[in-house]
């Protein structure tokens, strides 16, 4: 076990209700912490990643008035915290936007964590990156122009690269540290940046989209982190309206859409916003990703008005695309059967999000 494993990660000093640390120096409370405080008002400001006794937990921590560590759950999944055994901590720094942590786990390979939330592990990243990329790209014939929002680790780019019809890929990631960290620790994902079709924009996606020509993209993939902190605006109506404008008629959006077990209301809100905004079909799909909360993650698929899109039956099957299965590395999770299966929903979800 590495030297750092087993120690609690260093936490900033407890801040008072106005964001002051109590030693006279002003500190701004990150928005994710404000959200945490709103959902757990009995606790004061928190910091992020927690490694205690050699285990990382998707919880947050702080010290109480007596200096004792206090743990509480992430507001996105109260009452539970998935843990991974830590071999060694490889990187931990605060960027301008979030805390970035990389550690070597005992069973899932290297893990990337942002603001205390697991973004990917080497073992199961294939499920998320392959599904979020190929569900939309295999649903339209010959996609040419693609935009990725977020996705700074490069994994989604790696998957888009399998599509030889694609001529241009814009990616807009706000946090350069995520890109740099991925290039250093996750070369199997960051390889996506090496594709000459990729045009990297480091900045705010909302600002980027404001200047994007209307109707430019065949497909947009929103590979965001959870809607706390920098990704908060990415589940709100104005953002979806901007995405719809940037798509050509009959263009497709695939948006990360959380867990059906934990976020039914958020999913319901996102679906109703998208039904109003995109005039074509709106569908929910999901996949198993063991290291995400509740072990699943969802994808919202929408299309603008235009040539009809049948998301449920891939018109552009990956098996028929020259070299796509083997490009850079073999597909590990996605295939046309998984594509179709991803849209089968449990009855409770159909009822709650009115998809019946
Ligand atoms: N709850 C975690 C959701 C993370 C979604 N983004 C992952 C980024 C991988 N490219």
């Amino acid at each position: 076990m590495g030297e750092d494993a087993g120690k609690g990660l260093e936490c900033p000093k407890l801040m008072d209700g106005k964001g002051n640390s109590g030693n006279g120096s002003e500190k701004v409370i990150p928005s994710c912490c404000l959200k945490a405080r709103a959902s757990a008002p009995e606790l004061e400001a928190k910091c992020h990643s927690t490694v205690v006794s050699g285990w990382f937990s998707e919880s947050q921590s702080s010290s109480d008035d007596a200096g004792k560590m206090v743990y509480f759950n992430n507001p996105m999944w109260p009452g539970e915290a998935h843990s991974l055994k830590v071999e060694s901590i490889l990187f931990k720094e605060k960027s301008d936007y979030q805390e970035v942590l990389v550690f070597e786990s005992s069973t899932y390979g290297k893990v990337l964590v942002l603001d205390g939330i697991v973004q990917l592990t080497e073992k199961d990243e294939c499920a998320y990156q392959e599904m979020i990329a190929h569900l939309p790209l295999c649903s339209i014939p010959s996609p040419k122009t693609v935009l990725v929002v977020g996705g700074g680790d490069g994994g989604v780019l790696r998957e888009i690269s399998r599509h030889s019809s694609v001529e241009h890929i814009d990616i807009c990631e706000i946090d350069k540290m995520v890109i740099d960290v991925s290039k250093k620790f996750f070369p199997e994902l960051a390889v996506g940046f090496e594709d000459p079709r990729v045009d990297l924009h480091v900045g705010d996606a909302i600002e980027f989209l404001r200047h994007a020509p209307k109707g430019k993209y065949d497909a947009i993939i929103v590979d965001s982190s959870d809607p706390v902190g920098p990704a908060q605006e990415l589940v709100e109506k104005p953002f979806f309206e901007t995405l719809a404008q940037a798509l050509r008629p009959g263009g497709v959006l695939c948006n990360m859409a959380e867990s059906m077990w934990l976020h039914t209301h958020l999913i319901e809100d996102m679906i109703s916003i998208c039904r109003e905004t995109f005039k074509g079909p709106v569908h929910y799909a999901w996949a198993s990703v063991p290291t995400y909360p509740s072990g699943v993650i969802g994808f919202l698929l929408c299309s603008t008005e235009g040539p009809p899109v049948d998301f449920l039956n891939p018109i552009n099957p990956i098996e028929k695309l020259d070299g796509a299965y083997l490009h850079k590395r073999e597909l590990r999770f996605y295939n046309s059967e998984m594509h179709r299966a991803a849209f089968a929903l449990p009855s409770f979800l159909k009822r709650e999000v009115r998809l019946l």
Side-chain angles (χ1 to χ4, degrees):
M1 185 180 289
E3 201 187 322
D4 283 358
K7 291 184 193 163
L9 289 176
E10 192 191 317
C11 288
K13 290 236 164 63
L14 193 68
M15 300 172 204
D16 68 19
K18 297 176 199 78
N20 298 325
S21 62
N23 60 6
S25 64
E26 293 263 315
K27 279 193 184 164
V28 180
I29 300 177
S31 54
C32 49
C33 291
L34 289 171
K35 185 113 180 216
R37 174 183 291 169
S39 77
E42 73 283 9
L43 295 168
E44 276 302 317
K46 317 298 173 227
C47 63
H48 301 289
S49 306
T50 310
V51 177
V52 176
S53 305
W55 288 80
F56 164 86
S57 278
E58 243 182 5
S59 56
Q60 294 173 312
S61 66
S62 177
S63 40
D64 67 8
D65 289 343
K68 232 180 82 194
M69 290 298 273
V70 176
Y71 302 98
F72 77 107
N73 293 119
N74 187 292
M76 290 288 291
W77 33 90
E80 61 184 89
H82 184 233
S83 299
L84 288 168
K85 193 164 191 324
V86 176
E87 289 298 317
S88 58
I89 291 167
L90 303 173
F91 181 90
K92 189 207 145 210
E93 236 172 79
K94 269 198 167 29
S95 73
D96 290 343
Y97 301 97
Q98 53 206 342
E99 183 195 87
V100 181
L101 166 72
V102 179
F103 68 88
E104 182 74 49
S105 69
S106 303
T107 46
Y108 279 83
K110 288 200 274 293
V111 183
L112 173 66
V113 178
L114 299 179
D115 274 353
I117 300 176
V118 172
Q119 299 301 306
L120 61 92
T121 77
E122 286 181 310
K123 182 169 175 170
D124 64 6
E125 56 87 9
C126 57
Y128 177 84
Q129 331 271 9
E130 292 180 16
M131 292 295 271
I132 202 170
H134 304 306
L135 286 173
L137 297 183
C138 293
S139 295
I140 51 174
S142 292
K144 291 194 172 46
T145 322
V146 185
L147 168 66
V148 181
V149 172
D153 51 72
V156 172
L157 294 176
R158 177 194 71 207
E159 293 309 316
I160 298 171
S161 301
R162 294 183 194 271
H163 293 255
S164 54
S165 66
V166 170
E167 292 166 0
H168 188 85
I169 314 168
D170 282 319
I171 174 166
C172 187
E173 162 63 53
I174 198 165
D175 195 344
K176 182 163 181 306
M177 191 183 283
V178 174
I179 302 168
D180 294 341
V181 158
S182 185
K183 287 185 175 166
K184 180 154 185 208
F185 297 103
F186 298 96
E188 282 221 18
L189 287 97
V191 67
F193 286 103
E194 287 167 23
D195 191 304
R197 296 167 290 178
V198 171
D199 197 354
L200 168 64
H201 310 265
V202 176
D204 177 28
I206 296 176
E207 197 49 35
F208 176 84
L209 279 157
R210 221 168 263 145
H211 298 106
K214 291 206 182 357
K216 172 169 181 184
Y217 298 104
D218 295 315
I220 301 180
I221 297 170
V222 180
D223 175 18
S224 61
S225 43
D226 300 283
V228 277
Q232 173 65 49
E233 284 173 88
L234 306 189
V235 291
E236 289 164 6
K237 188 159 194 223
F239 179 63
F240 287 108
E241 288 171 344
T242 328
L243 291 172
Q245 281 173 9
L247 283 171
R248 62 143 166 96
V252 290
L253 166 72
C254 186
N255 206 105
M256 191 278 282
E258 298 295 351
S259 158
M260 61 184 170
W261 293 108
L262 303 170
H263 307 116
T264 327
H265 293 298
L266 176 63
I267 295 167
E268 193 175 355
D269 287 353
M270 287 171 84
I271 289 179
S272 76
I273 291 173
C274 288
R275 284 214 172 113
E276 281 168 34
T277 310
F278 295 83
K279 308 291 178 207
V282 174
H283 286 279
Y284 189 80
W286 62 283
S288 149
V289 181
T291 56
Y292 285 165
S294 83
V296 296
I297 192 91
F299 310 99
L300 195 57
L301 287 128
C302 315
S303 159
T304 49
E305 197 170 22
V309 177
D310 176 8
F311 285 114
L312 278 47
N313 296 295
I315 191 175
N316 187 26
I318 200 101
E319 294 81 359
K320 295 210 172 136
L321 302 180
D322 252 4
Y325 231 91
L326 287 167
H327 181 80
K328 303 274 189 210
R329 68 177 206 186
E330 216 166 357
L331 275 169
R332 295 181 181 169
F333 192 87
Y334 179 88
N335 56 47
S336 289
E337 270 180 87
M338 293 300 279
H339 182 122
R340 288 189 196 91
F343 292 92
L345 303 183
S347 305
F348 82 87
L349 187 66
K350 284 190 179 186
R351 234 179 351 257
E352 285 174 39
V353 301
R354 295 184 204 94
L355 287 168
L356 272 173

